[in-house]
Amino acid sequence: MGLLLYKLPIRLFILCFGFIIAKDLHVFGTFDFNRNGKSEIFKLHGLTAPLELVELNQDGSHISLWQYAPENDESIVDVKFADLNNDGIEELIVAQRGNKENNWLSIFEWNGESFVKNKEPLKKEAPQADLIRPSNLASFANIFSASISTPSRSSVVFSLELKEGTPIKTNSRINTSPLISNGYGPVYVGMFKVGKDGYAALISPEGNLLKVSVFSLSNINQDVSSEILPLNGARVILGPDIQPYDENNDGNQELLIPFATDEVYALAFTTDSGITFTESKLSQSGLFGMKSAAGEDEINSAILNRIASGLYAPPLGINPSTVNDSLVILVSDTLMLGDSLNMFILPDSIGEFYSFKWSAPPPSGMKLNPNNLKVEWVPKREHIGVVDLSYFLEVRLKEELISAENEFGDTHQIYPVLQNKDSSFVVLVGDTIKPPEPFVLIPPRFHRVEISTKDIKETDRFTFDGETPFSATTVNSNGIITVGVGANLSWIKQDKSGAFNFMSSSAKPESLVTLSIIHDLSNNIFYASLLPAVDSLSQSFDLEGWDLNRYLFPEYFFEGFPLNMALDSISGIGVVSLFSSEETASGLVSISSPLYDQQHGMNISYFGGKPHAIRGDISVKENGSHKTLTEIDFESSFSPTSINVWLNPVNRDTLIFHADSIPDTLKTKATFRSFYSQAKVINKIPPDIIPDSLTIDSSVVEDSLTSQPLDGLEIKSEPIQEGVDSLTIDSPLVLPDSTR
């Protein structure tokens, strides 16, 4: 048996004061170094230790086997695993960030019970100083690459091995490009395989753009390929989680790039098509970006989800043919009726196809196409559910000459050297038919950005170019002009986005400072950046770790802001200060966004130039999660003088009406879950309070509806996700005031 999903919840926390640096928890697995049949994982940046080897019991509990903390003020940025001495046991390679030469790379060897640090000095081809402050570490076989953010904005690629206990670093070279070197902020590196060739990608996130340069590992003279790609609101790259992955099962790897905002992108490269950058099927799946305080249940769930997605091998002891309700089903692919299966049968093979046969009868219509070596299939209604498949495959690795003699003399014949492989996979086939759905009233959820300053004159004109959900306002109060843009997030449907541009009619100034603000409302991550940057270091704040009562606040990330930011509570009014100075302010930026049953507010006081433009975009993913992106341009300068945040409670109950035409099954229980709060299901209203007609305000409901009798209401489709208990209301119906 492997991981079990049941475990009593454990809440871990750190209570500290002042400046909080929040680090994401990174999990690597699964292993079995002690060969006891239980899965093990590595935890990087956990609460117990900076680096920890943990064993997973059958009940899901964790047992610490080994811990490591660097000396002095050094910090661990990434870990990788490779068999450096060809003894069949992987070594642990740790990349650290410190201030000492030759101290950024450490190697640990497994002695049967724990890891022991190799204390032999690292031998290099050149004796020069090796001062590297990496952002992450990548590996490909025994080839490694470390990112170097400052001062060169490059990556170093090298071979690493252990000979008689001595680590040896060879074949070192530096990869960089003009596109990357002319930039700002941290850079990251990743390595992946396409065909028989290996590639290294150097990436630099800068605002809403990602600069990428790809280098060949085998041909150092190959021209570099570089691109500038849009990030579409994804922010904060999780460097240790960058990894190769065959996204489309075509035998070629892509480079997975996860973000703290839960997007996961797949970066691909071919000599014909160049660099492509698409959102991965693993995006918005909660596979990465756990907090350091994540408990055992959350970690176990992430591990099982990674196994199901193909990122991890199954935990030790799990037999896919005997999966029970406590274990995740190891699904190779998920299809809906109407979808097509195209699965390549040689994704990781180093040989050539030789033979194929089914080990068990496949479902009707499923066949192997011998021309492209893909299993092709279109499921039918009788296939709905779990489809278990298995086949026998022979791969030709090479050919061998066999010489012999017979009664007439010598004989010679070429025989293939074959590798046999029994393979199986599980396909989950889903139904596309949906049951009738209830009529849903969704309350408004307002997002708003405003700028107040005396630098804007009454005669100044702003032009607004925006889509339906957005509206712009301009208010004059005692000589202080406030311009702002707002939107009702309830009006933006799932898998859609809306954008706006609110710009001054005056000519674009020669010098601009851009304030970028992103709020991922589902993961509750708030990101802000300044360009040009005041400082190049990133800062983050976890209010829950600072004060447990602040658990509803977002996790804040700042790039380009002054380094003297710190947490402080403004007593008596529930406001938290992230930055405070004695400087005089010339304006105020206010941001308000809905968070479940709370409204999040932020005020940024600043001293700077006149606001020139406000641009924004709001997107809603297929799972209903919202993300807001706002960029504000200021003339010449922008310096924050104070940053305060707070939460206000708001009633956002979603109301669900069951008309008489709704089936009885839906009258007793509705499977609708509001993204922000619990839904209230209204099955029956007493006759004395039923109005003759129900008028729906277009500001409340996503689609404009005309007044019509309740009995004749058209059933509007809204996503059905999760069941809630029915509720009978015996008092007059009053729509909640979501702006209270």
Side-chain angles (χ1 to χ4, degrees), residues 22-47:
K23 290 186 176 180
D24 288 289
L25 173 68
H26 304 279
V27 177
F28 308 91
T30 57
F31 309 94
D32 187 22
F33 286 102
N34 57 12
R35 307 296 174 91
N36 67 347
K38 296 182 179 180
S39 296
E40 301 151 5
I41 59 171
F42 271 94
K43 295 167 57 179
L44 175 61
H45 300 157
L47 290 183

Side-chain angles (χ1 to χ4, degrees), residues 440-448 468-470 486-498 521 593-596 599 618-620 624-628 650-655 672-677 696-704 716-719 736 738-739:
V440 181
L441 287 180
I442 302 178
R445 306 175 181 97
F446 290 105
H447 168 72
R448 190 157 188 84
T468 302
F470 300 96
N488 181 1
L489 302 192
S490 298
W491 284 12
I492 305 178
K493 298 180 179 180
Q494 292 179 335
D495 199 23
K496 298 292 183 180
S497 63
L521 302 178
S593 299
L595 279 181
Y596 303 96
Q599 191 77 12
I618 297 176
S619 63
V620 183
S625 62
H626 290 68
K627 179 184 294 180
T628 65
V650 179
N651 185 358
R652 291 199 180 95
D653 289 334
T654 298
L655 303 179
F672 180 89
R673 180 180 67 84
S674 169
F675 179 70
Y676 291 93
S677 62
I696 309 291
D697 190 347
S698 62
S699 66
V700 177
V701 185
E702 180 178 306
D703 298 316
S704 297
K716 296 294 181 180
S717 296
E718 292 289 341
S738 65
T739 62

Side-chain angles (χ1 to χ4, degrees), residues 166-311:
T166 300
I168 300 175
K169 178 183 172 187
T170 58
N171 302 321
S172 295
R173 72 173 188 266
I174 298 294
N175 285 337
T176 190
S177 69
L179 180 66
I180 303 296
S181 60
N182 296 315
Y184 66 93
V187 297
Y188 301 89
V189 67
M191 305 174 80
F192 57 104
K193 182 182 178 183
V194 181
K196 297 181 179 180
D197 299 321
Y199 294 91
L202 186 62
I203 58 180
S204 173
E206 301 177 22
N208 198 36
L209 299 175
L210 186 72
K211 295 180 179 179
V212 180
S213 293
V214 175
F215 308 84
S216 172
L217 294 177
S218 57
N219 185 3
I220 61 175
N221 297 319
Q222 180 176 321
D223 293 337
V224 66
S225 179
S226 300
E227 292 284 350
I228 300 179
L229 307 162
L231 285 178
N232 300 318
R235 288 297 188 274
V236 188
I237 289 180
L238 304 176
D241 294 319
I242 297 174
Q243 58 191 284
Y245 179 69
D246 190 356
E247 173 80 10
N248 50 11
N249 293 320
D250 63 350
N252 295 320
Q253 292 179 339
E254 289 79 32
L255 188 65
L256 280 188
I257 306 176
F259 292 81
T261 47
D262 206 23
E263 286 89 358
V264 182
Y265 277 87
L267 188 149
F269 175 78
T270 63
T271 54
D272 295 331
S273 305
I275 298 173
T276 58
F277 192 65
T278 57
E279 192 162 3
S280 168
K281 62 184 180 183
L282 305 180
S283 191
Q284 305 294 334
S285 300
L287 299 177
F288 308 97
M290 291 177 287
K291 291 186 177 182
S292 296
E296 296 176 352
D297 285 346
E298 184 177 353
I299 296 173
N300 293 347
S301 178
I303 293 172
L304 292 175
N305 290 334
R306 293 180 187 182
I307 293 168
S309 64
L311 286 175

Side-chain angles (χ1 to χ4, degrees), residues 478-491:
N478 297 323
I480 298 177
I481 305 295
T482 299
V483 296
V485 179
N488 181 1
L489 302 192
S490 298
W491 284 12

Side-chain angles (χ1 to χ4, degrees), residues 124-126 128 130 156-159 169-174:
K124 302 180 297 179
E125 298 166 304
Q128 73 269 14
D130 193 12
V156 56
V157 181
F158 56 92
S159 299
K169 178 183 172 187
T170 58
N171 302 321
S172 295
R173 72 173 188 266
I174 298 294

Side-chain angles (χ1 to χ4, degrees), residues 340-355:
S340 299
L341 177 69
N342 290 278
M343 189 186 70
F344 190 57
I345 62 171
L346 297 175
D348 302 316
S349 177
I350 59 175
E352 299 177 349
F353 171 77
Y354 187 78
S355 73

